[in-house]
């Protein structure tokens, strides 16, 4: 069965050109024409991949990306005239899988679409068994981007999930800052040192919302490690 690509782009001429190229490669494309209920459209169409613009009426693409991520992990590729570094960081932080700046070559878009479809559904797709990373009752579900402890569950962003997975796997050993940067960001893009600290702070708050305090220790100048301060509570 052919893959379905949902196009969310308020420049309808560009949307039609994208749809034309997508169909040439044997995929089905559906252009969204109203932008008030994009999540409803997503749930009805159930696409295999979403092409999403940032600048949209009412709510921007970041908002709709977050909404889609509450119900699906299907690939989302942003296509936008915004070419700033923070725009791309925000896209990834809100759940995107890739970011393409306008103007672009249509063949590049198609290449990225094929790559994402292979990664999620094709020969590069993970096994159907869901991965679970756990330390003393603190359980991460990477595919769902969820963290649970006892009866409590908290949702994570994509980068928060990657960060926590590294800390959980290595616990109680140190995870170096360089290793975190390599996993969290494209090594060719400049990322301010303080950005990692911001993400660590967000992850700390997510863990605290589950009732765990002082779970992440900062090793100044080196990195971070997960300290199992909660083990005594479940023994």
């Amino acid at each position: 069965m052919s893959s379905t690509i949902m196009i969310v782009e308020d420049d309808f001429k560009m949307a039609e050109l994208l749809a034309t190229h997508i169909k040439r490669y044997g995929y089905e494309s559906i252009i969204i024409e109203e932008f008030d209920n994009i999540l409803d459209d997503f749930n009805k169409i159930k696409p295999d991949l979403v092409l999403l613009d940032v600048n949209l009426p009412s709510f921007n693409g970041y908002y709709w990306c977050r909404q889609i991520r509450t119900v699906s992990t299907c690939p989302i590729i942003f296509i936008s005239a915004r070419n700033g570094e923070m725009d791309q960081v925000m896209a990834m932080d809100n759940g995107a899988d890739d970011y393409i700046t306008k103007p672009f070559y249509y063949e590049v878009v198609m290449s990225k679409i094929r790559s994402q479809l292979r990664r999620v559904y094709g020969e590069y797709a993970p096994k159907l068994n869901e991965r679970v990373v756990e330390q003393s009752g603190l359980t991460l579900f990477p595919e769902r981007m969820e963290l649970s402890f006892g009866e409590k569950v908290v949702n994570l962003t994509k980068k928060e999930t990657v960060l926590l997975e590294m800390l959980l796997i290595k616990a109680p050993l140190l995870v170096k800052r360089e290793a975190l940067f390599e996993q969290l960001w494209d090594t060719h893009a400049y990322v301010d040192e303080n950005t990692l600290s911001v993400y660590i702070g967000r992850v700390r708050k997510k863990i605290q919302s589950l009732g765990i305090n002082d779970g992440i220790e900062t090793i100044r100048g080196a990195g971070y490690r997960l300290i199992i301060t909660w083990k005594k509570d479940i023994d």
Side-chain angles (χ1 to χ4, degrees), residues 111-163:
S111 176
K112 288 180 177 288
I113 288 174
R114 293 195 301 271
S115 175
Q116 290 294 334
L117 291 175
R118 285 198 305 269
R119 179 182 64 81
V120 177
Y121 310 110
E123 60 265 38
Y124 304 144
K127 295 179 180 179
L128 293 178
N129 292 334
E130 182 178 21
R131 288 191 302 120
V132 177
V133 185
E134 188 264 347
Q135 284 283 358
S136 299
L138 182 63
T139 306
L140 175 69
F141 301 93
E143 281 78 23
R144 300 187 218 168
M145 295 189 291
E146 288 181 355
L147 184 69
S148 71
F149 183 67
E151 299 297 321
K152 296 182 178 179
V153 178
V154 63
N155 294 319
L156 306 168
T157 66
K158 187 174 182 179
K159 281 188 168 51
E160 288 169 354
T161 301
V162 173
L163 195 158

Side-chain angles (χ1 to χ4, degrees), residues 147-189:
L147 184 69
S148 71
F149 183 67
E151 299 297 321
K152 296 182 178 179
V153 178
V154 63
N155 294 319
L156 306 168
T157 66
K158 187 174 182 179
K159 281 188 168 51
E160 288 169 354
T161 301
V162 173
L163 195 158
L164 262 171
E165 183 171 3
M166 294 181 71
L167 291 171
L168 281 164
I169 289 173
K170 293 274 288 186
L173 301 178
L174 170 75
V175 181
K176 294 183 178 180
R177 292 175 64 89
E178 293 80 7
L180 290 168
F181 271 109
E182 184 176 345
Q183 288 295 318
L184 290 169
W185 290 283
D186 184 346
T187 55
H188 297 292

Side-chain angles (χ1 to χ4, degrees), residues 31-230:
I31 299 173
I32 301 303
E33 298 181 355
E34 300 291 336
F35 303 98
D36 293 330
N37 296 294
I38 290 173
L39 185 59
D40 290 344
D41 292 328
F42 177 88
N43 287 327
K44 291 175 185 176
I45 296 167
K46 299 187 184 304
D48 298 292
L49 183 144
V50 178
L51 293 178
L52 181 61
D53 193 9
V54 173
N55 294 323
L56 295 170
S58 300
F59 298 99
N60 63 29
Y62 302 136
Y63 171 83
W64 290 117
C65 187
R66 292 196 303 274
Q67 297 305 303
I68 292 171
R69 281 289 172 256
T70 65
V71 298
S72 174
T73 58
C74 93
I76 299 175
I77 302 177
F78 270 97
I79 296 180
S80 176
R82 297 188 183 185
N83 58 8
E85 293 167 356
M86 283 309 301
D87 293 310
Q88 298 183 46
V89 169
M90 286 179 63
M92 299 303 179
D93 188 31
N94 281 284
D97 295 280
D98 208 338
Y99 192 101
I100 303 172
T101 57
K102 302 175 184 177
F104 51 77
Y105 290 104
Y106 287 96
E107 293 305 319
V108 171
V109 177
M110 293 310 307
S111 176
K112 288 180 177 288
I113 288 174
R114 293 195 301 271
S115 175
Q116 290 294 334
L117 291 175
R118 285 198 305 269
R119 179 182 64 81
V120 177
Y121 310 110
E123 60 265 38
Y124 304 144
K127 295 179 180 179
L128 293 178
N129 292 334
E130 182 178 21
R131 288 191 302 120
V132 177
V133 185
E134 188 264 347
Q135 284 283 358
S136 299
L138 182 63
T139 306
L140 175 69
F141 301 93
E143 281 78 23
R144 300 187 218 168
M145 295 189 291
E146 288 181 355
L147 184 69
S148 71
F149 183 67
E151 299 297 321
K152 296 182 178 179
V153 178
V154 63
N155 294 319
L156 306 168
T157 66
K158 187 174 182 179
K159 281 188 168 51
E160 288 169 354
T161 301
V162 173
L163 195 158
L164 262 171
E165 183 171 3
M166 294 181 71
L167 291 171
L168 281 164
I169 289 173
K170 293 274 288 186
L173 301 178
L174 170 75
V175 181
K176 294 183 178 180
R177 292 175 64 89
E178 293 80 7
L180 290 168
F181 271 109
E182 184 176 345
Q183 288 295 318
L184 290 169
W185 290 283
D186 184 346
T187 55
H188 297 292
Y190 171 77
V191 180
D192 188 274
E193 286 282 328
N194 292 328
T195 305
L196 178 57
S197 299
V198 170
Y199 279 99
I200 289 291
R202 292 177 182 175
V203 169
R204 280 195 174 110
K205 289 181 179 179
K206 294 291 178 73
I207 295 175
Q208 287 171 356
S209 72
L210 298 175
I212 296 173
N213 296 312
D214 303 319
I216 299 178
E217 181 182 14
T218 301
I219 310 299
R220 190 172 298 278
Y224 304 89
R225 64 176 177 170
L226 194 70
I227 303 298
I228 305 176
T229 59
W230 62 92

